[in-house]
Amino acid sequence: DGGITQSPKYLFRKEGQNVTLSCEQNLNHDAMYWYRQDPGQGLRLIYYSQIVNDFQKGDIAEGYSVSREKKESFPLTVTSAQKNPTAFYLCASSTMGGPGSYEQYFGPGTRLTVT
Amino acid sequence: GENVEQHPSTLSVQEGDSAVIKCTYSDSASNYFPWYKQELGKGPQLIIDIRSNVGEKKDQRIAVTLNKTAKHFSLHITETQPEDSAVYFCAAKNFGNEKLTFGTGTRLTIIP
């Protein structure tokens, strides 16, 4: 099956710990994105990457870090510096260039709870 | 930057009736407008999109209209069914920018 996988579906951590969320895609998409979703709010962009070994900050990058060592993978680390990390995290991907390049496809999400 | 406003935040519709969700955007350079459906506990799913060179697009029971002059676009769902119950998000993007800006979502409930 082609698509985007995120693991785990639920993640629990103690305050002060860093945690890494996984995102893998087999769609051969160049661009990948991380969004945060809070209840009653839209999706807010954390980081995005258009090419391997390069990434850009989104609107709410503080307290987060990413890497893009492989085209298929774009892990997100929620650091202890993130003041309110409990949220639903969504990974997405899209092609670059061509008629379908604007369509972003989302993974199933990871719900992170920090106590 | 772009700002997208979405209304209403909640909408209840009798099964078989139509539902309309509206969005406005601020950046006149935006030229791509997708709509996503999100079911509980899942990621958003792209259901329809429209680009600025057309005013309306249909796909079976769903349609999207775009008014570039007024900077607003709408999602229309006809003959609603219980499985249409979900949260719907609109978004806007400029082709030269990789960022999608999302509205705050509409929770649609179809009443049997």
Side-chain angles (χ1 to χ4, degrees):
Chain A
D1 284 339
I4 303 172
T5 57
Q6 292 185 244
S7 60
K9 187 172 179 62
Y10 299 97
L11 192 54
F12 298 89
R13 281 294 182 270
K14 293 290 186 184
E15 193 173 322
Q17 294 179 336
N18 291 356
V19 58
T20 298
L21 283 60
S22 169
C23 178
E24 303 276 334
Q25 54 97 2
N26 61 4
L27 301 167
N28 199 33
H29 284 173
D30 294 297
M32 297 186 73
Y33 311 81
W34 275 105
Y35 291 90
R36 171 183 172 132
Q37 186 175 30
D38 295 285
Q41 297 191 33
L43 283 67
R44 293 183 290 168
L45 183 65
I46 305 172
Y47 268 100
Y48 65 101
S49 169
Q50 298 174 284
I51 194 169
V52 172
N53 293 324
D54 188 39
F55 46 83
Q56 286 77 41
K57 292 182 179 180
D59 299 318
I60 55 165
E62 185 176 352
Y64 299 97
S65 66
V66 293
S67 62
R68 186 90 186 274
E69 298 177 0
K70 298 186 300 182
K71 185 177 182 178
E72 304 79 22
S73 178
F74 191 40
L76 173 74
T77 296
V78 184
T79 74
S80 57
Q82 169 49 233
K83 295 179 182 178
N84 186 17
T86 294
F88 190 48
Y89 290 88
L90 288 157
C91 179
S93 70
S94 69
T95 59
M96 295 282 294
S101 64
Y102 317 108
E103 301 164 3
Q104 288 190 17
Y105 296 93
F106 285 83
T110 292
R111 186 166 299 281
L112 173 65
T113 302
V114 177
T115 58
Chain B
E2 175 66 278
N3 182 50
V4 177
E5 294 189 357
Q6 182 172 347
H7 300 281
S9 57
T10 60
L11 179 62
S12 294
V13 173
Q14 206 73 34
E15 182 178 353
D17 288 350
S18 296
V20 180
I21 302 170
K22 299 180 180 181
C23 288
T24 60
Y25 62 98
S26 61
D27 186 354
S28 56
S30 289
N31 46 18
Y32 174 65
F33 308 93
W35 285 90
Y36 288 85
K37 175 184 181 182
Q38 186 177 28
E39 298 177 343
L40 191 62
K42 297 184 178 180
Q45 178 188 6
L46 179 67
I47 56 172
I48 195 167
D49 57 15
I50 192 167
R51 304 185 186 194
S52 59
N53 56 347
V54 297
E56 183 176 4
K57 183 177 179 180
K58 289 183 179 180
D59 183 3
Q60 299 183 333
R61 296 186 298 108
I62 60 174
V64 57
T65 58
L66 172 65
N67 184 327
K68 285 217 74 177
T69 302
K71 289 192 280 188
H72 66 72
F73 57 111
S74 301
L75 178 70
H76 304 253
I77 306 174
T78 59
E79 300 173 9
T80 53
Q81 302 169 2
E83 53 265 37
D84 295 329
S85 293
V87 178
Y88 291 81
F89 291 95
C90 63
K93 173 183 161 66
N94 177 334
F95 284 163
N97 188 338
E98 280 306 306
K99 293 171 58 174
L100 263 179
T101 300
F102 285 83
T104 51
T106 296
R107 181 174 300 279
L108 174 63
T109 302
I110 307 301
I111 304 167

